[in-house]
Amino acid sequence: MTTTPRTVHTVIAKILKPVRAAAAGSPSALDLHDSLPGFAGDGVCGVAVALFDEPWTSAFFDDGTRFGVAGDGLRRSGPSSGSIAELLGLAFARLPLRPPAPGEGLYLDADERGVLEPGQECLVLDLVEELRRPRLGTVQVDLARGPRRPWEVVALVDDDRGRHLAVLGGRRGGRRRFWWLPGSVDALAEVVEGRVPAHV
């Protein structure tokens, strides 16, 4: 009897399924990046699509000199504070307050096709079990850092245990790593800054 290899794409689909319809037609971070006149290119910009009681979106940028946040009636801009966490705090002002989920989190490694490496079955089962918990909300964040797009997927997931952070990033040789961590705006800011723990 053979089994079909599990892929990181299957996991991502389970996480992002609730927001795919809400994200349809929303601008991406790269669209936003291209539309910002005079954007220096060394800063950060992004678009968040969230689905809680009702869908909402938020766009944000900070080029190191100035910042801007817009979405669903909110529009703020001014001199940059240099704080990514402060920028995201403004962009996610509508995000409900919830504690980070308990535990240290986990990570999964996949090859260039997205097929998960052997020996991770227990971790996958643990993650799938968590994804079955009652979902209270999901935020999909599309990020660009200057001309680069360092993360394939970034999302915040709220369930009855608290807030989770899901991140899928590339590694050398086309390999990928998926992190499932306790989530918060500060943890998301660390991802935007390029700091995701190598070990959990």
Side-chain angles (χ1 to χ4, degrees), residues 28-37 39-43 45 144-147:
S28 70
L30 293 181
D31 292 334
L32 178 66
H33 182 282
D34 293 340
S35 69
L36 294 173
F39 188 80
D42 293 327
C45 68
R145 188 81 189 262

Side-chain angles (χ1 to χ4, degrees), residues 46 48 56-61 67-71 74 76 84-95 185:
W56 51 269
T57 61
S58 184
F60 56 90
F61 79 91
F67 82 92
V69 174
L74 172 69
R76 297 188 62 177
I84 297 297
E86 185 174 326
L87 172 70
L88 295 178
L90 293 172
F92 295 164
R94 294 186 61 183
L95 196 62
V185 171

Side-chain angles (χ1 to χ4, degrees), residues 15 50-53 56 88-89 91-106 127 130-131 133-141 154-167 179-189:
I15 291 171
L51 186 61
F52 285 81
D53 294 333
W56 51 269
L88 295 178
F92 295 164
R94 294 186 61 183
L95 196 62
L97 292 177
R98 289 204 176 94
E104 296 183 352
L106 58 85
L127 178 53
E130 290 206 14
L131 293 177
R133 302 185 74 90
R135 183 77 61 94
L136 302 178
T138 306
V139 184
Q140 178 180 347
V141 187
V154 179
L156 293 170
V157 179
D158 288 3
D159 63 22
D160 58 337
R161 298 179 70 217
R163 181 159 292 155
H164 305 267
L165 175 63
V167 181
W179 290 266
W180 179 253
L181 304 167
S184 65
V185 171
D186 286 340
L188 176 58

Side-chain angles (χ1 to χ4, degrees), residues 57-127:
T57 61
S58 184
F60 56 90
F61 79 91
D62 190 318
D63 65 4
T65 302
R66 68 197 194 288
F67 82 92
V69 174
D72 293 333
L74 172 69
R75 187 171 295 274
R76 297 188 62 177
S77 62
S80 170
S81 69
S83 169
I84 297 297
E86 185 174 326
L87 172 70
L88 295 178
L90 293 172
F92 295 164
R94 294 186 61 183
L95 196 62
L97 292 177
R98 289 204 176 94
E104 296 183 352
L106 58 85
Y107 69 83
L108 302 170
D109 285 323
D111 63 19
E112 64 280 359
R113 299 167 298 162
V115 177
L116 295 170
E117 294 182 358
Q120 301 182 100
E121 191 67 20
C122 288
L123 294 177
V124 174
L125 293 175
D126 288 345
L127 178 53

